[in-house]
């Protein structure tokens, strides 16, 4: 992407002032919000957009646009003000007036999908900068496949002190430095203020030294000296390393009595201070009123972006790999995936292999990766345990962005946020693995996957006390319940190789829902030995075994405990008790089925739930006449078989619970 040729810098002071006044007016009208950061970073933002950003508001999803991430998401009026002045069609002045109000696109924090020009949801501090690492890595990976003519853009981040205090920032800067993501530039709003007061209350870290130690290019500038800011960004673009620009700013710049104080961080300025600010800024216009000169200056940025986008489109038409490029952005081929998985399931049902579902996942991933050319795998330093690397994959590195497997290191949170960034950038289907118990480390990023509707896949192995000797620190007992409580997340706990393959078909073709696969360490038999082309896992739950003559009891289980339920049904049959067995690999998908289907699966007989986890979350499946066989506390260190016996998760215990219900 070529740099803009003719840029008028004379209006930048006015452009920055417009950000300040729109911010203080909107926050005042809402009687809530954070004016300090947008006012303090207005000069930096004006320079960044006027001289460097390549975006086209008339085509917000242009693939080769620069990405702008407001990691300090509480300062959302910065991006809303800019997007309004740039001319995004969905950001008129009524949206600014309605800041933080019901139904407005101008939410308290930037929300992906609510308005054009919002590249990611931010607000939880530290996640923006880490998501941006994924975007910057995706840019390099996409570039390695399609070249500079089609992929040649930057990822810019505005981060605050809070973003850099959060622990995830260490994971972010370590990854970016290690991968040498030279097209990632972070503008640090170094105003030395947090909600409680001066940053001296809580931190003494030399952030510049920390970034330098991680392999970043580091500069320091006066954040209100626009020429210095521009020179720093120019230098950053020329350096092959990711860049941190320490912008020394005054929070609330422009407010004559409150600037520089923590009091301007998260509260309206008040009518008196706003009036004084207008005088100090030389702003003679009424609230929510901008002169034509402001719009002209900002929309010149949009016009240059449109010109750049049109040039890019001309190159795309002539590009040798243009069709493949567009296909990479179009989403997965569902028909091809269904065909591949169906054929694979037929083989599995015939061969009936007895393997751990983590191994079944590896086997299914070989099919997925052969079918989806843009799948990007990875693991948080557990590749040999998660089994996320399939034959023919090569590692991504600073020397090989053309690889398709990412070694994220021991950074579960960082991995998950980076995968969000890869998905948001477009062009790839990311999946990454760790142990299920470490979902707690990754949870905030998994939550944002769900909130944003990103089709990211999480491979979580060692899913229960069945992992054995590593003990209770590594045995997830409450994690399934907590993850199932998260809206818009499909949690799969497959029982065998066939269900695992079906779960991967769903995960790899999902459009707006992330998937999490909870997978066993111990071997499990193939229970689906009769081939069905229909993806039964997509129903969430289904009848695996139906006794003749009606049901006396229904046994419902997931994952490794489905085998236990089947054995319990055999034991009950010997006692003339007719037990149906329901496999329930995905509670969320089952809840989405119609009432008639759910009733046909669950039946009217008493029910016994079986899962090597806590009972919480099972009530919709169990009903009034029910029992639960599972965990009531933490696990222990011992061989898996001994643990199942000790905690009473056995076929005999399930049969006894069933008999007690039907007496």
């Amino acid at each position: 992407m070529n740099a803009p040729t003719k840029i008028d810098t004379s209006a930048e002071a006015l452009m920055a002032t417009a950000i300040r006044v729109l911010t203080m007016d909107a926050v005042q009208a809402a009687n809530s919000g954070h004016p300090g950061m947008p006012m303090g970073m207005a000069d930096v933002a004006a320079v960044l957009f006027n001289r460097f950003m390549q975006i086209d508001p008339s085509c917000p999803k242009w693939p080769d646009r620069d990405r702008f991430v407001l990691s300090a998401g509480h300062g959302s009026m910065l991006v809303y003000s800019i997007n309004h002045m740039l001319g995004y069609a969905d950001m008129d002045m009524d949206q600014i007036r309605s800041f933080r109000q019901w139904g407005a696109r101008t939410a308290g924090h930037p929300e992906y999908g609510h308005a054009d020009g919002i590249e990611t949801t931010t607000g939880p501090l530290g996640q923006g900068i880490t998501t941006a690492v994924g975007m910057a890595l995706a840019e390099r990976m996409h570039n390695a496949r399609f070249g500079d003519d089609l992929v040649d853009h930057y990822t810019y981040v505005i981060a605050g002190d809070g973003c850099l205090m959060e622990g995830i920032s260490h994971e972010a800067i370590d990854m970016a430095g290690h991968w040498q993501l030279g097209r990632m530039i972070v503008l640090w709003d170094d105003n030395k203020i947090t909600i409680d007061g001066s940053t001296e209350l809580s931190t003494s870290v030399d952030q510049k030294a920390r970034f330098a130690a991680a392999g970043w290019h580091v500069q320091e500038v006066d954040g209100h000296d626009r020429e210095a800011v521009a020179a720093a960004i120019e230098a950053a673009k020329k350096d092959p390393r990711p860049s941190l620009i320490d912008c020394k700013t005054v929070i609330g710049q422009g407010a004559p009595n409150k600037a520089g104080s923590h009091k301007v961080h998260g509260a309206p300025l008040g009518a008196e201070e706003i009036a004084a600010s207008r005088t100090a800024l030389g702003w003679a216009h009424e609230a929510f009123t901008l002169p034509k000169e402001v719009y002209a200056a900002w929309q010149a940025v949009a016009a240059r972006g449109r010109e750049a986008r049109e040039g890019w489109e001309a190159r795309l038409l002539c590009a040798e790999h243009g069709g493949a490029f567009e296909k990479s952005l179009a989403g997965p081929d569902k028909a091809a995936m269904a065909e591949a998985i169906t054929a694979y399931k037929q083989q599995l049902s015939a061969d009936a292999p007895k393997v751990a579902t983590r191994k079944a996942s590896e086997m299914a991933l070989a099919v997925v990766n052969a079918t989806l050319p843009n799948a990007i795998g990875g693991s948080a330093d557990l590749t040999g345990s998660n089994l996320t690397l399939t034959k023919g994959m090569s590692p991504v590195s600073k020397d090989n962005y053309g690889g398709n497997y990412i070694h994220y290191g021991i950074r579960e949170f960082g991995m998950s946020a980076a995968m969000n960034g890869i998905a948001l950038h477009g062009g790839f289907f990311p999946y990454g693995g760790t142990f299920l118990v470490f979902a707690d480390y990754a949870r905030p990023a998994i939550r944002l996957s769900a909130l944003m509707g990103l089709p990211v896949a999480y491979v979580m192995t060692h899913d229960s006390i069945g992992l054995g000797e590593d003990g209770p620190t590594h045995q997830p007992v409450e994690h399934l319940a907590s993850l199932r409580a998260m809206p818009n997340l499909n949690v799969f706990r497959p029982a065998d190789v066939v269900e695992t393959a079906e779960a991967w078909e769903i995960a790899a073709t999902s459009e707006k829902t992330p998937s999490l696969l909870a997978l066993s360490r111990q071997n499990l038999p193939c229970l689906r030995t009769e081939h069905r082309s229909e993806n039964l896992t997509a129903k969430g739950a289904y009848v695996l075994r139906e006794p003749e003559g009606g049901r006396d009891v229904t046994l419902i289980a997931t994952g490794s405990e489905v085998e236990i339920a089947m054995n319990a049904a055999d034991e009950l049959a010997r006692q003339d008790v007719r037990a149906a067995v329901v496999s329930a690999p995905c509670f969320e998908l089952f809840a989405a089925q119609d009432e008639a289907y759910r009733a046909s699966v669950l039946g009217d007989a008493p029910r016994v739930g079986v899962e090597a986890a806590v009972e919480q979350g099972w009530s919709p499946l169990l009903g009034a006449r029910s029992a639960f066989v599972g965990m009531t506390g933490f696990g222990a260190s011992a061989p898996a078989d001994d643990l199942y016996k000790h905690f009473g998760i056995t076929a005999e215990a399930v049969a006894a619970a069933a008999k007690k219900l039907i007496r």
Side-chain angles (χ1 to χ4, degrees):
M1 183 184 293
N2 295 322
T5 52
K6 294 182 180 180
I7 296 175
D8 182 3
T9 62
S10 63
E12 280 177 356
L14 184 63
M15 296 167 76
T17 299
I19 294 173
R20 292 186 171 105
V21 296
L22 278 183
T23 293
M24 62 187 188
D25 287 346
V27 173
Q28 184 70 18
N31 196 31
S32 118
H34 299 76
M37 191 283 280
M39 295 178 73
M41 285 295 280
D43 295 304
V44 173
V47 170
L48 173 64
F49 277 81
N50 189 45
R51 305 194 197 188
F52 299 99
M53 285 291 294
Q54 293 273 42
I55 51 173
D56 179 9
S58 70
C59 186
K61 294 298 184 182
W62 168 34
D64 204 31
R65 69 193 181 279
D66 287 337
R67 270 59 168 183
F68 173 66
V69 174
L70 185 66
S71 188
H74 54 274
S76 56
M77 269 309 303
L78 179 83
V79 72
Y80 298 148
S81 299
I82 290 171
N83 286 1
H84 166 71
M85 294 184 290
L86 285 170
Y88 280 90
D90 64 351
M91 193 57 65
D92 59 23
M93 191 61 85
D94 285 342
Q95 292 295 328
I96 305 299
R97 291 190 185 94
S98 301
F99 178 53
R100 287 183 163 231
Q101 304 309 300
W102 173 256
R105 297 185 183 92
T106 45
H109 294 81
E111 301 288 349
Y112 174 75
H114 285 211
D116 291 335
I118 306 299
E119 298 288 1
T120 181
T121 294
T122 54
L125 294 179
Q127 286 210 58
I129 186 175
T130 317
T131 302
V133 171
M135 293 178 181
L137 179 60
E139 189 274 342
R140 288 291 83 193
M141 293 192 297
H142 222 207
N143 173 272
R145 288 154 175 79
F146 299 107
D148 291 345
D149 279 351
L150 297 183
V151 186
D152 186 10
H153 54 266
Y154 283 80
T155 301
Y156 296 99
V157 180
I158 286 182
D161 291 302
C163 295
L164 303 191
M165 286 190 208
E166 289 285 358
I168 192 176
S169 73
H170 180 78
E171 300 181 26
I173 68 172
D174 196 357
M175 289 188 294
H178 179 70
W179 293 325
Q180 289 291 277
L181 300 179
R183 286 165 178 269
M184 179 175 180
I185 298 174
V186 174
L187 301 150
W188 170 26
D189 179 23
D190 184 8
N191 60 34
K192 293 184 167 51
I193 293 292
T194 61
I195 292 174
D196 284 354
S198 168
T199 55
E200 293 179 357
L201 290 170
S202 57
T203 181
S204 302
V205 170
D206 184 338
Q207 294 288 1
K208 295 190 294 294
R210 184 168 74 111
F211 275 78
W216 285 57
H217 174 229
V218 176
Q219 302 172 82
E220 178 182 316
V221 298
D222 177 348
H224 303 299
D225 182 338
R226 291 184 296 277
E227 292 304 321
V229 171
I233 297 174
E234 288 282 10
K237 292 182 71 172
K238 293 175 182 176
D239 196 282
R241 296 167 293 177
S243 287
L244 172 75
I245 302 175
D246 177 356
C247 302
K248 302 292 187 183
T249 61
V250 176
I251 191 170
Q253 176 79 343
N257 303 303
K258 293 187 176 181
S261 167
H262 70 280
K263 295 178 181 179
V264 78
H265 168 85
L269 297 182
E272 184 177 337
E273 182 71 359
I274 287 176
S277 299
R278 275 183 152 73
T279 300
L281 293 167
W283 190 265
H285 308 282
E286 297 296 321
F288 301 110
T289 301
L290 300 178
K292 62 181 181 180
E293 297 91 336
V294 167
Y295 286 115
W298 278 101
Q299 289 174 17
V301 176
R304 288 195 301 271
R306 183 170 61 252
E307 182 180 352
R309 188 258 303 169
E310 290 169 349
W312 177 88
E313 288 177 341
R315 296 195 301 275
L316 177 64
L317 287 174
C318 302
E320 179 183 357
H321 302 295
F325 175 87
E326 292 184 288
K327 187 177 180 180
S328 75
L329 297 169
D333 186 333
K334 293 185 178 183
M337 183 60 65
E339 181 179 357
I341 292 293
T342 299
Y344 175 57
K345 286 195 314 180
Q346 188 168 17
Q347 173 192 332
L348 291 175
S349 293
D351 296 343
K354 182 176 183 179
V355 297
T357 50
R358 63 170 175 159
K359 178 64 176 178
S361 172
E362 179 188 41
M363 294 158 61
L365 273 171
V367 179
V368 170
N369 291 338
T371 307
L372 297 182
N374 62 342
I376 297 292
S379 173
D381 198 55
L382 287 169
T383 295
S385 293
N386 301 147
L387 304 181
T388 40
L389 178 67
T390 62
K391 185 177 181 181
M393 300 184 84
S394 63
V396 173
S397 72
K398 64 183 179 181
D399 301 315
N400 179 31
Y401 294 120
N404 54 4
Y405 191 83
I406 302 173
H407 292 280
Y408 288 101
I410 306 164
R411 306 182 185 101
E412 297 86 0
F413 194 177
M415 173 185 73
S416 304
M419 287 198 297
N420 285 341
I422 292 170
L424 286 163
H425 177 277
F428 301 103
F429 163 60
Y431 69 85
T434 186
F435 290 167
L436 180 59
V437 76
F438 299 140
D440 281 349
Y441 285 177
R443 186 181 183 88
I446 298 173
R447 185 174 187 268
L448 285 194
S449 300
L451 186 61
M452 290 189 279
L454 303 179
V456 174
Y458 296 93
V459 184
M460 301 287 186
T461 69
H462 296 58
D463 69 338
S464 72
I465 59 171
L467 69 88
E469 292 85 346
D470 276 342
T473 59
H474 283 56
Q475 292 167 3
V477 295
E478 76 276 24
H479 296 71
L480 287 167
S482 68
L483 290 163
R484 286 169 179 156
M486 190 179 294
N488 194 41
L489 174 67
N490 285 334
V491 179
F492 295 94
R493 190 164 184 250
D496 68 357
V497 285
V498 177
E499 283 191 1
T500 305
E502 291 179 334
W504 266 116
E505 179 187 355
I506 298 163
T509 57
S510 177
E511 296 180 358
K512 293 185 178 296
T513 301
S515 302
L516 186 146
L517 282 73
L519 305 166
S520 76
R521 178 178 183 250
Q522 70 272 36
N523 290 340
L524 303 176
C526 178
L527 302 173
R528 295 264 297 277
T529 54
E530 182 179 335
H531 174 63
R532 295 270 304 268
S533 59
E534 181 183 9
N535 188 322
L536 297 180
T537 298
K539 297 285 191 181
Y542 61 94
V543 179
L544 184 63
R545 171 174 172 165
E546 186 75 79
E548 293 184 3
R551 304 181 188 181
D552 296 318
V553 67
T554 299
L555 311 180
I556 310 169
T558 76
S560 47
E561 287 72 68
V562 177
E563 177 189 10
I564 292 174
M566 292 289 278
N567 291 337
D570 289 339
E571 174 61 28
L572 288 167
R574 287 189 284 271
Q575 301 177 42
D576 295 324
V577 175
R578 297 168 298 183
V581 176
V582 170
S583 179
C586 184
F587 287 15
E588 297 77 24
L589 291 178
F590 185 61
Q593 305 305 310
D594 61 53
E595 185 177 352
Y597 176 77
R598 295 198 306 271
S600 70
V601 170
L602 297 176
D604 297 323
R607 303 166 195 165
V608 179
V610 193
E611 188 171 64
V614 298
E615 183 179 356
Q616 187 173 351
W618 269 82
S619 56
L621 278 74
L622 293 180
R625 297 171 59 207
S626 65
F628 181 77
V629 176
M631 298 294 291
T632 57
F634 293 113
S637 177
D641 288 347
D642 293 344
L643 291 172
Y644 272 88
K645 291 175 183 175
H646 173 79
F647 290 109
I649 308 174
T650 63
E652 293 76 16
V654 174
K659 288 290 291 290
K660 188 175 181 180
L661 283 174
I662 61 178
R663 283 175 184 166

